[in-house]
């Protein structure tokens, strides 16, 4: 019996990385009864990504955006198209992730193993590590402190599946049983909160999140130098612009996320990063005046 998987990818002006990602994807060692259909959203690339993909991998279904989708809404667009065809699995894959040849087989095997153990609604997360340092970069996460609901640490992959609380969306296998409950990723979010939200919602609705054994592939931390709003060298205005940008922590989107997942203290956790940004920016000025 054929097992059909839809691979969902969003890209924007990273042609070499996108092509490298697809090359590794189509080089997967998978059983003959498994099939892959790739849905790639090119969100307004100006570097010829869509054309290059079309020429090299004509089997890829390319969906076009105008540059305003970013990662989360690009994934929503790809997911929506794939949902029309009712796949057995849906794989989220970042275009800067290069999978190892056995990655997909490991994810599928993990899903089947957990289903036999009674976890038939399990999201399977593939971990990635840095290509140079080997350090764990993305994967499943658990809370790292009791007092803050959104402070997470990555779960180191082992030789057996490990439970997680939520996830990074770089390499994630979602079975039909989960999608029938959760549906698509939430387009309320522009860029980087939707994957965490999806994982947290899955737990509330009777699903689970598991980290697959070993590493699925390589991926650098993005952005490599951290976020500008963490840098005291930036002015308060620059830091505020960075934190409220779609790739930062947009206040309206953050509010929805906190209301959903932070309980009755949601207002505190919503305002905390913005207040902290102001205090960190003003503190050096106060110290200078003292000196």
């Amino acid at each position: 019996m054929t097992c059909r998987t839809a691979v969902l990818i969003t890209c924007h002006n990273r042609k070499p990385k996108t092509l490298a990602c697809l090359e590794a994807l189509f080089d997967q060692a998978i059983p003959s009864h498994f099939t892959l259909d790739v849905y790639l959203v090119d969100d307004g690339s100006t570097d010829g990504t869509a054309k290059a993909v079309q020429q090299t991998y004509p089997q890829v279904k390319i969906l076009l955006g105008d540059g305003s989708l970013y990662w989360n809404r690009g994934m929503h667009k790809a997911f929506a198209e794939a949902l029309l065809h009712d796949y057995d699995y849906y794989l989220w894959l970042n275009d800067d992730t290069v999978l190892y040849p056995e990655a997909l087989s490991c994810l599928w095997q993990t899903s089947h193993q957990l289903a036999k153990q009674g976890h038939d609604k399990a999201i399977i997360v593939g971990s990635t590590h840095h290509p140079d340092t080997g350090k764990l970069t993305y994967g499943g996460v658990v809370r790292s402190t009791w007092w803050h609901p959104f402070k997470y640490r990555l779960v180191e992959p082992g030789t057996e599946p490990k439970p997680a609380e939520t996830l990074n969306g770089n390499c994630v296998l979602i079975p039909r049983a989960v999608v029938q409950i959760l549906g698509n990723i939430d387009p309320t979010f522009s860029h980087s909160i939707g994957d965490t939200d999806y994982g947290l919602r899955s737990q509330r609705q009777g699903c689970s999140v598991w980290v697959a054994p070993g590493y699925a592939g390589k991926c650098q931390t993005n952005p490599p130098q951290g976020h500008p709003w963490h840098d005291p060298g930036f002015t308060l205005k620059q830091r505020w612009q960075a934190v409220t940008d779609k790739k930062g922590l947009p206040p309206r989107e953050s509010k929805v996320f906190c209301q959903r997942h932070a309980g009755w203290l949601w207002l505190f956790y919503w305002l905390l990063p913005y207040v902290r940004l102001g205090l960190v920016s003003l503190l050096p000025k106060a110290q200078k005046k003292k000196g």
Side-chain angles (χ1 to χ4, degrees):
M1 189 168 122
T2 302
C3 184
R4 300 163 59 243
T5 298
V7 183
L8 315 177
I9 307 174
T10 294
C11 68
H12 176 74
N13 281 346
R14 300 200 293 194
K15 181 167 65 174
K17 289 187 176 182
T18 303
L19 292 173
C21 172
L22 290 171
E23 181 181 5
L25 175 64
F26 286 115
D27 197 34
Q28 289 293 296
I30 60 176
S32 58
H33 64 286
F34 281 77
T35 64
L36 299 178
D37 290 336
V38 182
Y39 295 81
L40 174 73
V41 172
D42 185 312
D43 189 27
S45 293
T46 57
D47 64 351
T49 299
K51 185 177 180 181
V53 170
Q54 190 175 45
Q55 290 174 343
T56 312
Y57 303 103
Q59 66 271 47
V60 172
K61 298 171 178 62
I62 300 175
L63 308 171
L64 299 179
D66 61 5
S68 65
L69 294 175
Y70 291 81
W71 182 83
N72 191 79
R73 289 174 183 159
M75 294 300 281
H76 179 271
K77 185 179 180 73
F79 212 155
E81 183 66 25
L83 285 171
L84 298 175
H85 306 282
D86 190 30
Y87 286 89
D88 299 291
Y89 289 98
Y90 301 83
L91 177 75
W92 296 354
L93 183 62
N94 264 24
D95 75 324
D96 59 352
T97 298
V98 176
L99 296 176
Y100 292 131
E102 302 292 336
L104 292 190
S105 290
C106 177
L107 296 179
W108 285 320
Q109 287 169 10
T110 303
S111 179
H112 294 155
Q113 175 188 342
L114 289 168
K116 287 179 181 177
Q117 296 171 4
H119 304 288
D120 58 330
K121 301 179 184 67
I123 297 173
I124 312 301
V125 185
S127 303
T128 63
H129 56 179
H130 195 284
D132 299 324
T133 66
K135 184 179 178 181
L136 174 62
T137 51
Y138 296 103
V141 300
V142 293
R143 283 176 61 169
S144 60
T145 180
W146 64 268
W147 71 272
H148 200 306
F150 307 136
K151 293 291 183 184
Y152 299 111
R153 62 173 176 82
L154 287 160
V155 176
E156 288 278 353
T159 57
E160 294 293 328
K162 291 184 178 182
E165 292 179 56
T166 185
L167 52 91
N168 302 142
N170 298 63
C171 178
V172 181
L173 186 70
I174 309 171
R176 179 194 284 124
V178 171
V179 173
Q180 287 174 339
I181 296 171
L182 293 180
N184 204 334
I185 196 168
D186 191 342
T188 297
F189 309 109
S190 305
H191 189 63
S192 60
I193 310 177
D195 50 358
T196 306
D197 171 74
Y198 200 87
L200 292 174
R201 285 194 291 119
S202 75
Q203 302 273 16
R204 286 186 181 178
Q205 298 188 54
C207 305
S208 55
V209 178
W210 294 80
V211 175
Y215 284 100
K218 300 177 288 187
C219 183
Q220 292 187 12
T221 306
N222 185 35
Q225 278 78 43
H227 295 287
W229 66 82
H230 294 152
D231 190 338
F234 284 78
T235 66
L236 177 57
K237 182 180 179 181
Q238 289 171 325
R239 286 157 67 92
W240 179 254
Q241 288 174 339
V243 78
T244 56
D245 183 75
K246 286 185 178 181
K247 286 191 173 183
L249 199 62
R252 288 184 182 178
E253 298 175 21
S254 177
K255 182 181 179 182
V256 171
F257 183 80
C258 289
Q259 285 177 321
R260 241 176 231 179
H261 304 297
W264 63 277
L265 285 174
W266 72 264
L267 184 62
F268 170 77
Y269 290 111
W270 174 46
L271 295 175
L272 183 61
Y274 309 112
V275 173
R276 181 183 291 162
L277 180 149
L279 291 174
V280 171
S281 298
L282 294 172
L283 189 59
K285 294 179 182 178
Q287 289 175 337
K288 278 184 183 179
K289 284 183 181 179
K290 261 189 181 180

